[in-house]
Amino acid sequence: MTVVFSRRDAEWFAPPGAADRRYLVAPLTYRERQAFRADLAREGGIYPSQAQMLDALRAAVREASPGNADELLAVIDGSEATPDDAAVQVQLGTIEAACATVPIYAGLLAARQRYLGTLPWVAARHALRGWEGTGLPPFRRARGLVPDDLLEVLPQDEVEAVGWRASTLMQPGRDAAGNSGAPSPSPETPAPLTAA
């Protein structure tokens, strides 16, 4: 009997600058992805959405109450309405930098940093299946995960690169994206009526 855990096989990944070190990274199964997400939520918290960030930035501008608050709020609104407008995004960046220490905005910035800093670590812990190369300790997994004490002895930049690669492998491939059609209407859905 053949057991298939994933449509894609594990791959050897060499982080930039890793010399002769390679890491075997596996795309996670459905259940493994759920366990990864649960661990990420426990350890990294949540990733505040862009809408939450902009609402907090508006609140920070109001709290700081500069003389040009209305102008700054208009820039924030403009950045939300036209996210591809580079000039508006530059202005938004200036406002973000100025409000980075205002508590209501700083809290969400910290939440984003914690999430982004934790994600590759947790992903590597879940997706690593082996490694080889100079200076690496013997590989081991315990209860389906690479133990933290083992990850801590690896070069930090390599763990992060491996984790980001693992995160990429969790995304559906091009052939899987959009591979299901629209659901058919339920039998209880009434047919549209036309005016007589």
Side-chain angles (χ1 to χ4, degrees):
M1 175 167 95
T2 302
V3 179
V4 177
F5 291 102
S6 172
R7 290 187 179 269
R8 296 178 286 171
D9 293 329
E11 69 175 38
W12 284 103
F13 173 72
D20 67 341
R21 293 184 297 275
R22 301 186 318 156
Y23 298 85
L24 187 61
V25 183
L28 302 182
T29 65
Y30 176 79
R31 288 179 189 257
E32 289 171 331
R33 285 193 308 273
Q34 300 318 307
F36 158 75
R37 290 181 184 126
D39 283 351
L40 182 58
R42 273 190 292 277
E43 296 179 39
I46 61 161
Y47 183 81
S49 69
Q50 185 63 13
Q52 290 172 311
M53 295 300 291
L54 292 177
D55 285 346
L57 188 57
R58 287 181 186 99
V61 167
R62 288 184 190 103
E63 184 177 321
S65 62
N68 63 343
D70 290 338
E71 178 186 334
L72 300 177
L73 293 170
V75 169
I76 296 168
D77 293 343
S79 75
E80 192 170 32
T82 57
D84 296 331
D85 185 333
V88 172
Q89 295 307 316
V90 168
Q91 291 176 319
L92 179 69
T94 303
I95 298 168
E96 289 172 325
C99 292
T101 59
V102 178
I104 192 166
Y105 188 66
L108 287 185
L109 282 177
R112 270 197 172 181
Q113 288 303 313
R114 178 178 177 201
Y115 181 93
L116 291 173
T118 305
L119 188 149
W121 179 271
V122 176
R125 188 169 59 207
H126 281 262
L128 272 169
R129 299 296 188 266
W131 53 58
E132 62 184 24
T134 306
L136 295 175
F139 179 81
R140 76 178 193 280
R141 284 171 60 96
R143 298 184 189 142
L145 303 173
V146 177
D148 283 345
D149 65 325
L150 190 55
L151 284 179
E152 288 173 359
V153 300
L154 301 176
Q156 185 63 40
D157 58 333
E158 291 180 21
V159 173
E160 288 181 9
V162 166
W164 286 116
R165 181 64 190 147
S167 178
T168 300
L169 291 176
M170 288 184 222
Q171 309 307 316
R174 292 179 200 256
D175 55 341
N179 65 356
S180 55
S184 57
S186 72
E188 294 82 36
T189 304
L193 299 176
T194 56

